[in-house]
Amino acid sequence: MRLPVYRYSQSGVTFTRSIVDVSDTGSYTCGPCSGFYKSRSISITVVVLQKPSLSLETSREVPWGQSAQMRCSISTQHLGGTFTLQQLNGSFTETVEDTGTSANFTIPQVDFTHEGAFYCQYQTRVSRRNFTSPQSDTISLSVIVVLVQPNISLSAPDGGLFWGPQGPEVTRGHSLSLICSTEPQHQGGSFHLIFNGSNSTRTQLAINHSASFYIPEADYSHQGNYSCVYEVTVSSRTFKSTQTAPLTVVVRGSAHRYGFHNGAGGLADEDENIYVNAALPADQRDCGKDMDGDLEEN
């Protein structure tokens, strides 16, 4: 292969080519245009690395604590190099040796330090020289926290709980516990117990991923709908779960167990008086006469 002659001087000739590509790879000699005297040949290897491509094998939004996978690919004949994944404005970097034209990268457990843009590069060694590709286009990774919806359940420590047609019913005057629990995704956190969907809430710290809200003596003011919300702080950021479906609690008088009803058609408490009107037979109506002949009716 011959290069054009651009400059001549007494000390020799300088050959210059401004654009070099892989077709210029080969052996070169120099000498006069005619004659048998030529220089020793030199070998020139031209390596041109294309810009690699970086892609996300998982979603761009990765839940906190889960893994993220990326893939760096390049079109080249110079195999046996290394791929490097680098965070643009962070400290994360990882290098993978590969004999093919692509490499996979895995972040086992992502956290908020992994948020941001990433790029990759390919490095290879040809004729004892190192060559590095341009940087790939960047891709962005977002880290989110997805909390599992908690559960709510009911218990009566002293046995005042039974099931009615509308669900759980608690005997008035008995103790009541509403229990909020969640899966062990994160340590700590707190539970908010919401009553009747209003702003009336009670809050307790989570212990072993649950919290119990105790009512020592249930009365009619405690019946209604209850739901739970779980809240946790992860890396100085606070997250809340979705609210549970409401649990309806009914408070009944203790006489409900024995089938007593009051005059209004409701259930009577055992401390309420029950009055019954009775008509006496004619032959017994005189039993109540007193000495002056007056009839005292019951």
Side-chain angles (χ1 to χ4, degrees):
M1 182 178 295
R2 296 181 178 179
L3 295 176
V5 178
Y6 282 89
R7 188 172 64 250
Y8 172 78
S9 65
Q10 293 182 349
S11 60
V13 179
T14 301
F15 298 90
T16 304
R17 186 181 176 93
S18 58
I19 301 177
V20 180
D21 55 34
V22 292
S23 64
D24 295 320
T25 299
S27 298
Y28 293 83
T29 61
C30 65
C33 294
S34 62
F36 301 98
Y37 298 99
K38 294 187 179 291
S39 68
R40 290 188 304 172
S41 64
I42 60 172
S43 295
I44 297 178
T45 301
V46 179
V47 177
V48 177
L49 295 179
Q50 304 295 325
K51 182 170 70 173
S53 174
L54 181 63
S55 61
L56 262 171
E57 301 297 293
T58 52
S59 172
R60 291 182 180 271
E61 292 186 344
V62 182
W64 189 93
Q66 294 190 13
S67 64
Q69 289 85 37
M70 303 182 197
R71 183 180 182 87
C72 186
S73 304
I74 192 172
S75 177
T76 182
Q77 296 178 344
H78 304 285
L79 304 179
T82 59
F83 291 90
T84 299
L85 179 67
Q86 177 69 52
Q87 193 174 12
L88 186 61
N89 294 315
S91 60
F92 180 87
T93 182
E94 184 178 355
T95 299
V96 174
E97 294 185 4
D98 204 296
T99 58
T101 58
S102 65
N104 295 322
F105 296 89
T106 299
I107 304 175
Q109 291 182 323
V110 299
D111 55 38
F112 295 121
T113 63
H114 298 119
E115 283 189 320
F118 290 80
Y119 67 88
C120 71
Q121 283 183 289
Y122 179 70
Q123 302 87 28
T124 188
R125 187 174 180 85
V126 180
S127 299
R128 300 187 298 276
R129 294 189 61 186
N130 295 324
F131 297 88
T132 301
S133 73
Q135 296 179 3
S136 69
D137 294 334
T138 60
I139 58 174
S140 296
L141 187 69
S142 298
V143 179
I144 59 176
V145 172
V146 180
L147 297 178
V148 175
Q149 187 183 62
N151 299 313
I152 183 170
S153 59
L154 177 68
S155 69
D158 56 1
L161 175 65
F162 54 96
W163 291 90
Q166 299 180 0
E169 298 183 1
V170 179
T171 305
R172 195 182 73 169
H174 286 247
S175 62
L176 170 66
S177 289
L178 290 151
I179 303 167
C180 299
S181 60
T182 188
E183 294 182 8
Q185 290 179 283
H186 305 278
Q187 295 295 327
S190 59
F191 287 95
H192 305 288
L193 181 68
I194 303 174
F195 178 53
N196 281 341
S198 65
N199 292 327
S200 175
T201 61
R202 293 172 59 183
T203 301
Q204 284 196 26
L205 295 177
I207 300 176
N208 294 328
H209 314 291
S210 66
S212 179
F213 297 85
Y214 181 69
I215 300 174
E217 292 185 4
D219 57 38
Y220 297 127
S221 66
H222 294 119
Q223 67 180 4
N225 295 326
Y226 293 85
S227 57
C228 293
V229 172
Y230 177 63
E231 180 178 333
V232 68
T233 299
V234 181
S235 298
S236 302
R237 302 186 191 183
T238 300
F239 301 89
K240 286 186 177 181
S241 71
T242 57
Q243 189 171 322
T244 63
L247 174 66
T248 302
V249 177
V250 177
V251 178
R252 296 294 191 186
S254 57
H256 172 70
R257 288 188 249 180
Y258 307 102
F260 293 153
H261 292 265
N262 58 29
L267 297 172
D269 295 337
E270 59 186 0
D271 56 351
E272 293 179 349
N273 294 322
I274 301 175
Y275 297 92
V276 179
N277 293 323
L280 295 177
D283 58 351
Q284 296 182 14
R285 292 177 183 174
D286 294 339
C287 296
K289 290 185 177 180
D290 55 9
M291 297 297 295
D292 57 5
D294 293 332
L295 177 64
E296 184 181 77
E297 295 182 354
N298 291 326

